Amino acid sequence: MARKKVDAATKAFIKALDALEEERGITKATVLDALKEALEKSYKKNYLGPDSIVNVEIDEETGKIRLFEIKHVVDDVMDEDYELSEEEAKEIDPKYEVGDDVITEVSPEVFGRLAAIQTKQILRQKIREAEKEALYNEYVDKKDDIITGIVDRVEERFAIINIGKTGALLPLNAQIPGEVINEGQHLKVYVSDVEKTTKGTHIGVSRTEPGLVKRLFEMEVPEIYDGTVEIKSVSREPGERSKIAVFTDNEDIDPIGACVGPKGTRVRNVVTELNGEMIDIISWDEDPITFISNALSPAQVATVKINEEENSALVVVPDNQLSLAIGKRGQNARLAVRLTGWKIDIKSESEIAEEGIDLDADEAMNNELLAAMEETHQDDALAAESFDDEESINVDIEALREEHEEEDTDYVKVIAEEDEAFEEENEPEYDPKFDEDIDYDEYDKYYD
């Protein structure tokens, strides 16, 4: 078989195709299809009509371009753009009959300067569209994954991360609080969104997503990567603390120990990447009582009563464990709520005794008791207001109100919030109660 001749111009053309494929991810076939379409449109616009039939062929090896006009042979010509009478067809070749297609090859040299410019513009547009599509197809598969990028630019409200063939915007609210990002720094980011827009492909990245913690553990822990250990859920307050629930079917493997690693190396690597964020690793269990108890670690839980209809749980802890279960400013309880998906009401044993709640009684009875106690408090307040001006009633109303206020602050009820942003903006006011009798040394010792 004879080898096709390739001149210098063809070599440059093929080299350009290779460069587009390597640098921008556009295949040769895509570029050649775009060139064919550009030539066809330009030829129709300058020499024929919009309904004309034109076919362009390009040899990938030699770069040779062939252009063909196609017209149908008919009895009565209605549109000269793509129809030809039988008489005209027979002048070209006597063998043509009605129903045949007359294919005429046209030399590409007919393209004038204007047609060449138009072809170039159409080709550029097609290449840009193909480039956007290729970029989207490349990164859409990386959604919910980690990409290591280089910080190109740092501004007050955002940073631009070079993630390869494009740049991604890392807004301030997606950065770990307190973390300092410097230009030229290698940074791991979580791809939270890949969206195709009119301006191109938008890639959203974050350092605050719970998914970042999960992916980092997959990178550090082989047992998670191969599926032996599974991360069931993650809850996170970026820059401060995270909780992850892990599980395995293999009785020979300790899922928590696998995540911690030899001498804590694995979890330490994740903590370092997250700018010192503390991480609690707890064991997941299909039994909600056990799972909720584990989620409130490092606090020790005495009893858990669950209400499946309301998806809520009453957790009773020893008096000396209440502050530990709630955590500083309620953080431990909030993370446990998000991790388990259950509404959690935390009370100490003394509070349970004072309120007269029987943990062994039916749930409905306890609910009635709590409702009755609440109604009694309201009635007492109304009665106090009604008799405030009566001299015959010797009651210190202000002292009574203060007493009720102290009783009302003796417990903290933690309610699950669906919107994390709402939680942050409406963080519960700081209760001075937590400054009393809290052994923070015991709390901090858990992380040493």
Side-chain angles (χ1 to χ4, degrees), residues 165-230:
K165 296 178 180 178
T166 186
L169 194 70
L170 181 66
L172 185 62
N173 61 3
Q175 299 176 23
I176 297 176
E179 183 178 36
V180 178
I181 298 176
N182 300 310
E183 293 182 3
Q185 174 184 350
H186 285 74
L187 196 67
K188 287 184 174 66
V189 291
Y190 180 81
V191 181
S192 56
D193 185 39
V194 179
E195 183 181 5
K196 189 187 299 182
T197 67
T198 54
K199 295 183 179 180
T201 299
H202 168 74
I203 301 172
V205 296
S206 173
R207 295 265 297 163
T208 59
E209 289 282 343
L212 178 64
V213 178
K214 183 176 181 180
R215 294 302 184 192
L216 287 173
F217 270 100
E218 287 180 357
M219 295 172 64
E220 293 292 337
V221 183
E223 290 86 350
I224 294 178
Y225 183 79
D226 63 21
T228 305
V229 175
E230 181 182 357

Side-chain angles (χ1 to χ4, degrees), residues 146-435:
I146 287 180
I147 293 179
T148 300
I150 300 175
V151 182
D152 277 350
R153 182 179 170 189
V154 178
E155 297 290 342
E156 184 177 353
R157 296 185 178 182
F158 63 87
I160 297 177
I161 313 298
N162 185 340
I163 56 175
K165 296 178 180 178
T166 186
L169 194 70
L170 181 66
L172 185 62
N173 61 3
Q175 299 176 23
I176 297 176
E179 183 178 36
V180 178
I181 298 176
N182 300 310
E183 293 182 3
Q185 174 184 350
H186 285 74
L187 196 67
K188 287 184 174 66
V189 291
Y190 180 81
V191 181
S192 56
D193 185 39
V194 179
E195 183 181 5
K196 189 187 299 182
T197 67
T198 54
K199 295 183 179 180
T201 299
H202 168 74
I203 301 172
V205 296
S206 173
R207 295 265 297 163
T208 59
E209 289 282 343
L212 178 64
V213 178
K214 183 176 181 180
R215 294 302 184 192
L216 287 173
F217 270 100
E218 287 180 357
M219 295 172 64
E220 293 292 337
V221 183
E223 290 86 350
I224 294 178
Y225 183 79
D226 63 21
T228 305
V229 175
E230 181 182 357
I231 296 179
K232 287 288 189 177
S233 60
V234 179
S235 63
R236 185 182 182 199
E237 293 196 354
E240 296 186 19
R241 190 176 173 193
S242 292
K243 282 181 180 284
I244 68 170
V246 295
F247 172 78
T248 182
D249 287 326
N250 193 330
E251 297 180 355
D252 297 330
I253 294 179
D254 173 17
I256 296 178
C259 294
V260 173
K263 298 183 179 180
T265 54
R266 293 174 179 174
V267 69
R268 192 180 304 119
N269 290 338
V270 177
V271 169
T272 301
E273 180 62 38
L274 297 177
N275 196 38
E277 186 174 310
M278 294 184 296
I279 298 176
D280 292 348
I281 306 172
I282 66 115
S283 179
W284 180 87
D285 198 289
E286 61 181 354
D287 177 20
I289 293 177
T290 304
F291 186 28
I292 292 171
S293 299
N294 295 343
L296 287 169
S297 174
Q300 296 176 2
V301 175
T303 308
V304 177
K305 295 280 289 183
I306 64 172
N307 185 333
E308 294 185 356
E309 292 183 359
E310 298 183 3
N311 198 44
S312 62
L314 172 64
V315 177
V316 182
V317 298
D319 290 4
N320 63 351
Q321 296 286 307
L322 179 61
S323 59
L324 198 59
I326 295 172
K328 295 180 181 179
R329 300 184 184 275
Q331 184 184 74
N332 191 58
R334 283 197 306 274
L335 289 171
V337 166
R338 296 175 193 162
L339 189 73
T340 61
W342 286 75
K343 300 175 185 177
I344 300 177
D345 183 7
I346 305 176
K347 294 181 182 292
S348 66
E349 291 177 337
S350 59
E351 289 169 348
I352 293 295
E354 289 174 5
E355 295 176 13
I357 298 176
D358 184 2
L359 297 175
D360 296 326
D362 184 76
E363 186 71 26
M365 294 179 59
N366 282 332
N367 289 339
E368 290 178 6
L369 176 60
L370 290 172
M373 290 174 62
E374 191 172 322
E375 186 176 346
T376 302
H377 282 307
Q378 293 174 354
D379 291 343
D380 289 346
L382 289 173
E385 292 177 2
S386 300
F387 293 100
D388 191 21
D389 297 329
E390 295 288 338
E391 294 182 359
S392 58
I393 305 298
N394 186 16
V395 178
D396 188 347
I397 300 299
E398 293 300 321
L400 182 61
R401 287 176 178 171
E402 290 178 1
E403 181 181 353
H404 279 296
E405 288 175 359
E406 290 177 359
E407 291 176 358
D408 289 340
T409 57
D410 279 341
Y411 67 93
V412 175
K413 186 170 185 179
V414 183
I415 300 177
E417 297 291 347
E418 295 293 337
D419 191 350
E420 293 184 21
F422 179 83
E423 288 179 345
E424 294 174 359
E425 294 174 3
N426 298 272
E427 187 176 51
E429 293 184 1
Y430 182 69
D431 192 340
K433 166 197 169 182
F434 297 135
D435 286 335

Side-chain angles (χ1 to χ4, degrees), residues 89-119:
K90 287 186 178 295
E91 290 178 3
I92 299 172
D93 191 332
K95 295 181 180 179
Y96 283 126
E97 296 179 356
V98 174
D100 292 339
D101 289 335
V102 177
I103 302 175
T104 306
E105 185 172 359
V106 181
S107 174
E109 295 179 0
V110 299
F111 281 86
R113 183 173 179 275
L114 179 60
I117 292 175
Q118 291 174 347
T119 302

Side-chain angles (χ1 to χ4, degrees), residues 16 21 25 27 34 37 56-57 64 174 264 274 295 330 333 344 346 372 376 397:
E21 185 170 14
T27 63
E37 187 176 347
V56 176
E57 295 180 359
K64 184 178 180 180
L274 297 177
I344 300 177
I346 305 176
T376 302
I397 300 299

